[in-house]
Amino acid sequence: MTEPQPPTAASEDPTAEDGPAEPPAGLWDRMKSDPQYAPEHLALEAVRRLGPEAKRWAEQSRARQPDVHPDELARRATRRFVNLARLSGAVSGAAGLPGAVVDVGVLAWTQARMVLHVAAAYGIDPTHHDRATDLLVLQKVHKVAETARLALGVAAGRERAGALFGQPAAAGRTFLRLGVKLAQMAGVGAAKRMVAKVVPGAGVVFGTWANSAATKELARRTQALYRPTVPRQRSGEGR
């Protein structure tokens, strides 16, 4: 009998794929020109860019370990992306509003990447357009799927219009609105980090644990959504 092979780096590390570690330039341009719908633009782009990566990772992991439990795959993805979220605030290396906006944007992107990998771990297609709706509800941008779908439709239409007629330049106040929207998507801790970075000496006590705590909580909600439910056994059944 062939001995089972230990997990390789690619199966253990969902980031060993080719997806961008932070929002691509084109996405930043769209979000800066349309900050009101920044979370929707990010969700749409995440599914397009990161969904295929998540799907390949899950397929390759199962090919190497056919008996691996979905919960274990979800734990691997969660562990890796929580670690990345913990470090996300150091990505930009810039102070002030631009650096703060980049920080929260990278955190929101990392969290979206985790959600798509957890979905793939449970056999849910991470490339399906419904995952963008899931992202917005899980990240508490919208309370229900219906409003998330409507906002995504508006954002997609504005994206097409921007491609045809060009993106307007972002003013300072618009940039601030973008930061607020992305901080909302990434969690309360991200908003505190942004304030602390924009206003030096603000006295906001914030550590990397806040990023990881928000991402862990998002992972919990994601697993609750995608993990198959086991019907409860009725009294007297199985006897």
Side-chain angles (χ1 to χ4, degrees), residues 31-150:
M31 293 194 299
K32 285 187 291 184
S33 66
D34 192 21
Q36 180 180 354
Y37 288 94
E40 287 78 12
H41 288 302
L42 190 147
L44 289 167
E45 188 71 11
V47 172
R48 283 194 293 259
R49 293 261 188 159
L50 303 177
E53 166 201 86
K55 188 172 185 178
R56 286 193 300 272
W57 167 75
E59 290 172 349
Q60 291 169 3
S61 296
R62 293 191 185 97
R64 295 184 182 98
Q65 294 179 283
D67 296 329
V68 67
H69 196 280
D71 284 342
E72 173 57 25
L73 285 183
R75 278 192 292 269
R76 292 178 190 175
T78 297
R79 182 168 58 245
R80 180 58 181 170
F81 290 114
V82 165
N83 287 337
L84 286 179
R86 190 177 289 120
L87 301 173
S88 65
V91 170
S92 73
L97 182 58
V101 173
V102 170
D103 286 353
V104 294
V106 171
L107 178 58
W109 184 257
T110 299
Q111 290 177 342
R113 199 176 179 192
M114 179 191 70
V115 168
L116 294 173
H117 278 73
V118 172
Y122 286 108
I124 306 298
D125 184 1
T127 66
H128 194 279
H129 57 78
D130 281 349
R131 300 295 82 74
T133 302
D134 294 345
L135 281 170
L136 295 176
V137 175
L138 285 166
Q139 291 178 290
K140 298 186 176 181
V141 177
H142 295 283
K143 292 183 179 180
V144 295
E146 287 76 11
T147 57
R149 290 192 191 98
L150 179 61

Side-chain angles (χ1 to χ4, degrees), residues 104-105 108 178-192 194:
V104 294
L178 171 60
V180 170
K181 280 289 186 178
L182 291 176
Q184 174 193 2
M185 188 177 193
V188 176
K192 291 182 178 180
M194 192 178 77

Side-chain angles (χ1 to χ4, degrees), residues 155-237:
R158 293 160 82 100
E159 179 182 327
R160 290 191 292 271
L164 287 173
F165 302 111
Q167 305 286 359
R173 181 172 294 183
T174 301
F175 209 57
L176 178 59
R177 289 177 62 198
L178 171 60
V180 170
K181 280 289 186 178
L182 291 176
Q184 174 193 2
M185 188 177 193
V188 176
K192 291 182 178 180
R193 176 185 288 279
M194 192 178 77
V195 171
K197 197 163 189 177
V198 172
V199 184
V204 179
V205 179
F206 185 85
T208 54
W209 64 267
N211 275 14
S212 61
T215 307
K216 285 178 182 177
E217 174 58 23
L218 175 60
R220 185 195 64 77
R221 296 195 299 270
T222 303
Q223 291 184 47
L225 175 65
Y226 293 133
R227 181 186 288 118
T229 56
V230 179
R232 296 182 62 182
Q233 191 178 58
R234 296 179 182 176
S235 177
E237 287 184 348

